[in-house]
Amino acid sequence: MKLDTSHMRYLTLDDFRVLTAVEMGSRNHEVVPTTLIHQIGGLRSQSGTNRCISDLAKLKLISRLRNAKYDGYRLTHTGFDYLAIKSMLNRKSVYSIGTTIGVGKESDIYSVSDNTGIKKVLKIHRLGRTSFRTVKNNRDYLRNRSSGSWMYLSRLAANKEFQFMDTLYTNGFSVPQPFDYSRHCVLMQHIDGFPMKALRKHANKKKLYSDLMKFIVNLANHGLIHCDFNEFNIIIVNDEAKGNYRDDFIVIDFPQCISTQHVDAEFYFNRDVECIRRFFRKKLGYNPVAESGMLDTDGYGEGYKYMFPDFHRDVERIADLDVQVEASGYSKKKKGDRDLEDAVASMRAGDETEYEEENGNASDDEGEENDEDEDEDEYDYDSYQSDEESSGDEDSEEEDEENERIIKALQDGVKELKMDKLGNYIIDDEE
């Protein structure tokens, strides 16, 4: 999904008010009624709202559902991008956006800079792009929802990754320094290096192997397991820039991290270890062997007592970072955390069955599910009316003032607003 911000400079404040109104309405509506957009946006006239809606639709920031039973719109992924970037622009953490420097299964990576010219990296989470069928099939709570749910999960993933990076960087781990985040976007430090997947020779591959294994153990000692520790999520620092970073490598991608108290902690710990062993064995021709005479345990590999870490033997808790970041498995979770964890767990499960599905071993009820997908975009106007009636006094002055305060906070980019159990924005007067 290509990010095109060329039209952002031409959007007015009213355009962003209406775009924000669509985002707010999407919390409770698959398709946001035009009248509700006008009510939340707070523009003086309906004609002004209609003009903004028309301009936003032409730029594909919002879309109109075909065959809908009432006049309404929903936010597109590009519109979601614009809202997140606009918030960072208002906070002056981002000034310009450059080219794409990486594309993953669940994210896009862009080169950006701030108003002082410092180069940074913007990661845009896009959950559901490649795993939509897998996650949707495995999670009943997503079966009757489409784009809105993925924006919600992408927001949760970005929030969680920012928490992980901020905590790990503060505690001295070799991770990018996080600067800011908004909605589904995370702004972080640019690393002068290259992905380890491109590494074919190294001046001291034995030390690199040992350092990576020690990172896994040290992370586990602090209560966390990466769960995706492989050559794609490790950046090797260039030789001329090694003095600028804590180590010769930087680890990225953290939304899927779990606690060492997780029921599957040992499995994912061993999988992270095996990913590194397999890469060094296949790409660098390094497969350490045990040497009985070696007693030094401050490392792993050739020349050390152990070839690779063992979960029960080597992991000894020294900190509780998993509690600080509320990692999966440490305790009872909040609803938003459960939603994200369920989706990530389904993606992991889907990876194991993806090959079988691609080779014609899909379940027999796939046809029935396709029929459900065809009806997915149908929206029951009567159910919308009942929701409107049961939601309380939407036309009351108090709610209008609340909406006005929320829109102003989102546009000013002062802070990330809290959300209630339904995913609605709320203002905390105590702050």
Side-chain angles (χ1 to χ4, degrees):
M1 185 179 299
K2 185 177 180 180
L3 175 63
D4 182 9
T5 59
S6 59
H7 301 291
M8 181 172 290
R9 68 183 66 183
Y10 304 112
L11 295 181
T12 65
L13 292 177
D14 286 346
D15 290 331
F16 276 105
R17 287 182 65 90
V18 172
L19 189 60
T20 304
V22 177
E23 179 194 22
M24 293 175 62
S26 298
R27 304 275 72 83
N28 293 330
H29 300 82
E30 178 74 18
V31 180
V32 186
T34 304
T35 54
L36 184 59
I37 296 175
H38 175 65
Q39 178 184 341
I40 299 176
L43 272 65
R44 292 185 177 180
S45 64
Q46 181 70 51
S47 61
T49 300
N50 292 338
R51 179 194 60 79
C52 292
I53 289 176
S54 177
D55 292 342
L56 294 173
K58 290 178 182 178
L59 298 177
K60 298 182 179 180
L61 304 182
I62 59 176
S63 63
R64 187 174 186 178
L65 185 64
R66 301 178 65 179
N67 301 323
K69 296 182 180 179
Y70 63 93
D71 188 27
Y73 294 81
R74 58 184 176 185
L75 188 67
T76 65
H77 288 282
T78 304
F80 203 41
D81 295 343
Y82 269 48
L83 288 171
I85 294 172
K86 179 64 174 177
S87 180
M88 290 186 177
L89 285 171
N90 292 339
R91 290 197 288 263
K92 297 183 179 180
S93 54
V94 170
Y95 179 77
S96 62
I97 298 179
T99 58
T100 305
I101 59 177
V103 177
K105 291 193 301 181
E106 306 297 340
S107 63
D108 292 332
I109 314 296
Y110 290 88
S111 174
V112 301
S113 63
D114 60 15
N115 55 1
T116 63
I118 297 177
K119 191 175 182 180
K120 299 179 180 178
V121 170
L122 181 68
K123 179 176 181 179
I124 304 179
H125 288 263
R126 301 199 187 279
L127 267 67
R129 175 169 57 191
T130 60
S131 58
F132 179 83
R133 181 180 62 178
T134 301
V135 180
K136 187 179 177 186
N137 289 353
N138 287 290
R139 302 312 309 172
D140 291 337
Y141 74 94
L142 293 176
R143 185 171 295 278
N144 295 319
R145 302 181 66 184
S146 57
S147 60
S149 61
W150 297 114
M151 294 179 188
Y152 169 64
L153 289 174
S154 296
R155 176 195 295 272
L156 294 178
N159 182 16
K160 184 61 66 175
E161 179 162 37
F162 184 86
Q163 292 180 33
F164 276 118
M165 279 200 299
D166 186 48
T167 301
L168 292 174
Y169 185 83
T170 303
N171 284 272
F173 284 87
S174 297
V175 301
Q177 180 182 2
F179 295 113
D180 193 9
Y181 84 98
S182 176
R183 296 172 174 85
H184 62 315
C185 297
V186 180
L187 184 67
M188 66 188 77
Q189 177 186 16
H190 177 269
I191 306 300
D192 186 3
F194 58 93
M196 195 173 79
K197 66 177 181 179
L199 185 66
R200 292 298 177 268
K201 61 180 181 179
H202 192 272
N204 194 346
K205 57 186 177 183
K206 296 181 180 180
K207 182 179 183 303
L208 178 61
Y209 174 91
S210 180
D211 289 344
L212 291 173
M213 293 301 185
K214 288 168 64 176
F215 182 95
I216 296 176
V217 175
N218 189 31
L219 188 65
N221 288 341
H222 284 74
L224 293 171
I225 297 174
H226 190 281
C227 289
D228 200 13
F229 196 78
N230 55 47
E231 63 270 25
F232 299 96
N233 293 325
I234 299 172
I235 306 297
I236 302 298
V237 178
N238 290 328
D239 292 338
E240 59 273 14
K242 286 184 177 180
N244 301 329
Y245 305 97
R246 293 168 175 170
D247 288 305
D248 296 343
F249 62 90
I250 302 293
V251 182
I252 60 174
D253 196 14
F254 299 96
Q256 70 288 331
C257 283
I258 64 173
S259 167
T260 51
Q261 297 181 12
H262 193 281
V263 63
D264 295 323
E266 182 179 359
F267 169 79
Y268 288 112
F269 179 91
N270 293 335
R271 192 178 71 170
D272 285 351
V273 171
E274 181 57 32
C275 284
I276 300 302
R277 295 183 65 196
R278 183 172 60 249
F279 174 81
F280 274 79
R281 183 171 59 249
K282 291 185 176 182
K283 302 301 181 180
L284 299 179
Y286 178 65
N287 187 23
V289 295
E291 297 184 19
S292 57
M294 294 297 176
L295 300 177
D296 183 5
T297 58
D298 187 24
Y300 299 92
E302 193 170 311
Y304 296 100
K305 184 176 181 180
Y306 302 113
M307 294 182 293
F308 55 88
D310 178 81
F311 184 77
H312 295 289
R313 181 191 65 209
D314 299 320
V315 175
E316 182 178 354
R317 179 181 287 269
I318 61 176
D320 57 352
L321 298 188
D322 53 337
V323 178
Q324 296 181 32
V325 298
E326 299 182 350
S328 174
Y330 91 97
S331 69
K332 185 178 180 181
K333 312 302 296 180
K334 296 180 293 185
K335 179 183 181 300
D337 293 329
R338 290 198 306 269
D339 288 348
L340 177 60
E341 291 169 13
D342 289 343
V344 172
S346 297
M347 292 174 198
R348 296 193 190 111
D351 290 340
E352 299 174 0
T353 59
E354 183 176 355
Y355 176 80
E356 295 182 358
E357 291 184 358
E358 291 178 352
N359 286 272
N361 294 329
S363 60
D364 295 335
D365 59 353
E366 185 174 348
E368 296 179 3
E369 184 173 317
N370 291 335
D371 294 338
E372 292 180 7
D373 291 342
E374 293 177 359
D375 297 335
E376 190 175 80
D377 288 337
E378 295 294 333
Y379 196 87
D380 188 354
Y381 181 70
D382 293 334
S383 65
Y384 161 71
Q385 285 183 319
S386 63
D387 290 340
E388 286 280 294
E389 295 171 359
S390 62
S391 62
D393 300 325
E394 288 190 350
D395 297 328
S396 65
E397 295 182 0
E398 293 182 0
E399 186 160 344
D400 290 341
E401 293 177 359
E402 184 78 2
N403 289 335
E404 185 73 21
R405 293 167 61 195
I406 292 174
I407 290 178
K408 187 176 186 306
L410 288 170
Q411 290 181 334
D412 292 343
V414 176
K415 61 182 178 179
E416 286 292 327
L417 297 178
K418 295 181 179 180
M419 290 190 295
D420 59 18
K421 295 181 179 180
L422 297 176
N424 299 312
Y425 291 113
I426 57 175
I427 290 286
D428 190 352
D429 294 327
E430 296 180 358
E431 294 183 356

